[in-house]
Amino acid sequence: MAVKVIDVNVGVFDENNRIADEVREKNKADGTFMINIMASPGAGKTTTLLRTIDMLKNPADAGTKPLRIGVLEADIEATVDAEKMADAGVASIQVHTGGECAMDASMVKQALSEFDTEDLDILFMENVGNLVCTAEQDTGADVNVEILSIPEGDDKPLKYPLMFTVCQCVLINKIDTRQWFAFDDEAVVQRIHRLNPDAAVFFVSSKTGEGFDAWISWIRKQLR
C-alpha cells in the first residue's frame, strides 16, 4: 500500500498567534498593559492578585500614580474568584472556558469586548489553574507571570519546563510556610534561569505582604 504524505505548511497555533497579535495591538492602542497570571490550583493566584491590585491602586508613595485595573477571571466553571474581585471593588469579568484547560487568544479577544480597556492601565488575566496547557497558548498578553508556591516544591521547573520558559517573571509564593516544607531557594532560581536567564524571580508572601514591594516595582517598570 502506498503511503500518502501531506505537507502541512500552517502551524496549528498560527491562527491563535495571529489573534494574539491583534489583542496586543488593540490593547496597545488603548494604552492597556495585559498580564497573564498562571499557576497550579492553590498556588495563590487570587490572593496574590488582590494584594497586588490594592498596592497598585493605593500606592504608599503619595507621588506615585494610582492605576486603573481590571481582571479577567478564567475558570472551567464557577464564579468564586470573580466574586472576590467584585467584593474588593475591582472591575472583573468571569470567563468559563467550556471545559478547556487554558485560555487562548480567541477567548481573550471575545472577553475583552466586554471591557472598556481604554479606561484601564492594567488588565490582569487569572488563567485556568495548571502548569501544562496554559503555557502552550499565546493569549495576547504583554507579559506572562508564573506563581510557584513553596508547598509545591522546588522541582517544578524540571517537570514543567515550558511554563518557566515562556514567563518573564516568576513569583515564589507562600514563603511564610518555609518552616514546614523542604524548599531550596537557590536551586529553584538556578533551575528557572537555566531555562530562562532573563526571568525576574521574586520571593513573596501574599498572606503577609513580604517581598511585594519588589514585585510591584517590577510591574511599574514594565509599564514604563
Side-chain angles (χ1 to χ4, degrees):
M1 180 181 293
V3 176
K4 186 175 182 179
V5 178
I6 300 175
D7 290 325
V8 178
N9 297 314
V10 179
V12 292
F13 292 122
D14 281 9
E15 178 65 9
N16 180 80
N17 294 342
R18 183 189 64 77
I19 297 173
D21 288 338
E22 288 182 5
V23 170
R24 268 186 290 271
E25 288 302 315
K26 171 67 164 57
N27 285 340
K28 182 179 179 180
D30 290 342
T32 303
F33 192 78
M34 182 172 162
I35 300 178
N36 177 24
I37 304 289
M38 298 179 284
S40 299
K45 294 190 298 298
T46 305
T47 52
T48 297
L49 263 180
L50 286 169
R51 184 177 287 276
T52 298
I53 291 168
D54 182 64
M55 293 178 71
L56 290 171
K57 290 178 66 176
N58 305 288
D61 183 356
T64 301
K65 174 188 173 184
L67 299 178
R68 301 167 301 171
I69 300 170
V71 177
L72 195 164
E73 291 286 354
D75 277 300
I76 294 175
E77 290 291 343
T79 60
V80 176
D81 294 336
E83 289 168 6
K84 290 179 181 178
M85 292 297 164
D87 289 343
V90 181
S92 63
I93 290 176
Q94 181 73 58
V95 176
H96 287 161
T97 63
E100 296 296 325
C101 60
M103 289 289 286
D104 62 22
S106 181
M107 294 178 192
V108 172
K109 182 179 180 180
Q110 182 178 351
L112 289 185
S113 67
E114 303 296 325
F115 266 114
D116 294 324
T117 50
E118 64 271 14
D119 295 327
L120 298 176
D121 298 307
I122 296 182
L123 177 65
F124 287 102
M125 181 173 68
E126 183 175 350
N127 216 320
V128 181
N130 74 77
L131 295 179
V132 183
C133 48
T134 51
E136 296 174 345
Q137 298 280 6
D138 184 350
T139 61
D142 294 292
V143 296
N144 295 315
V145 175
E146 157 66 5
I147 301 176
L148 171 65
S149 66
I150 294 291
E152 292 176 83
D154 53 49
D155 60 350
K156 292 303 171 286
L158 301 176
K159 295 183 176 182
Y160 304 96
L162 181 60
M163 174 61 72
F164 296 89
T165 301
V166 302
C167 288
Q168 288 78 27
C169 179
V170 179
L171 301 181
I172 311 298
N173 191 28
K174 302 187 181 182
I175 58 175
D176 52 288
T177 68
R178 275 184 174 130
Q179 60 181 310
W180 295 293
F181 298 96
F183 191 97
D184 190 325
D185 292 3
E186 184 177 347
V188 78
V189 172
Q190 289 177 350
R191 289 163 182 167
I192 292 168
H193 283 162
R194 195 174 298 128
L195 295 166
N196 188 347
D198 297 325
V201 181
F202 301 107
F203 288 81
V204 302
S205 168
S206 58
K207 180 179 180 180
T208 68
E210 184 179 353
F212 264 71
D213 286 341
W215 156 236
I216 296 299
S217 294
W218 184 86
I219 293 176
R220 288 189 175 273
K221 182 178 179 182
Q222 305 314 302
L223 291 177
R224 291 195 295 270

